[in-house]
Amino acid sequence: MAASPPPSAAACPPEGVRVAVGDGDAAAGLRVLGVTLTNCGRGTYRVDGYPVVRSLDEDRAVLDVNVLKGVEEITGSVPDWSGPPKPVTLKPGQRATTVVAWRNTYDDIRNGPVTVKYLEVAPLAGRPAQVIAPDGGLDLGSTGRIGVSPWRLDPNASASTAPARPVP
């Protein structure tokens, strides 16, 4: 999927934040996908905890994927992604990041491989969700699980530099 130019300020969702696909990395079966939450509104926006993430197939039906709070069970301890959630307050233009981690392993021949086409991400439980489309999807193998880190403030980014990949 080709990257699109960032949406204009007028395209800011009513909640005042935009969820987008961030950077990704893959090595030796371990996969990590960054997700950004950009405050595109006029006021401050607060999160404290983990995003609510649901895995969707190509028809946007919910897949049976176990979403773990924390990435340690998938990656081991990683300083930038591990540890308890901390409150994050985003001023207009600031963004927070989280990572989704999984392993592409096939450890149960009774279960076919799972490919997640879309992720539905809500900043916190009870807040509106947005759908993002990671390039190539998430190839979970037969593990059927992903780990999600808590939100962390991204001190180096502003709304004008946030990558945006609208969902078709």
Side-chain angles (χ1 to χ4, degrees):
M1 174 188 314
S4 299
S8 69
C12 185
E15 179 81 359
V17 291
R18 182 179 307 108
V19 176
V21 175
D23 294 329
D25 196 7
L30 175 62
R31 312 285 199 254
V32 178
L33 174 72
V35 176
T36 63
L37 176 72
T38 303
N39 181 349
C40 55
R42 294 184 181 170
T44 59
Y45 192 88
R46 183 181 168 156
V47 290
D48 185 3
Y50 298 88
V52 176
V53 177
R54 292 193 326 163
S55 300
L56 308 176
D57 68 12
E58 63 277 351
D59 297 321
R60 298 188 189 209
V62 177
L63 292 165
D64 184 17
V65 171
N66 186 17
V67 180
L68 308 170
K69 286 186 176 180
V71 297
E72 295 83 1
E73 200 172 315
I74 306 286
T75 66
S77 182
V78 179
D80 289 344
W81 307 333
S82 301
K86 298 174 185 166
V88 175
T89 301
L90 299 174
K91 296 176 185 171
Q94 287 185 313
R95 72 181 183 198
T97 61
T98 185
V99 295
V100 176
W102 70 98
R103 290 205 179 264
N104 176 4
T105 55
Y106 195 73
D107 57 4
D108 186 346
I109 61 172
R110 295 171 294 164
N111 296 320
V114 175
T115 300
V116 175
K117 177 73 174 173
Y118 302 102
L119 290 174
E120 181 184 78
V121 181
L124 293 172
R127 298 219 183 139
Q130 297 173 37
V131 175
I132 58 175
D135 284 341
L138 281 60
D139 53 346
L140 305 185
S142 66
T143 63
R145 67 185 189 154
I146 59 177
V148 180
S149 73
W151 289 113
R152 300 283 192 238
L153 181 63
D154 182 351
N156 302 317
S158 68
S160 63
T161 61
R165 296 184 192 156
V167 175

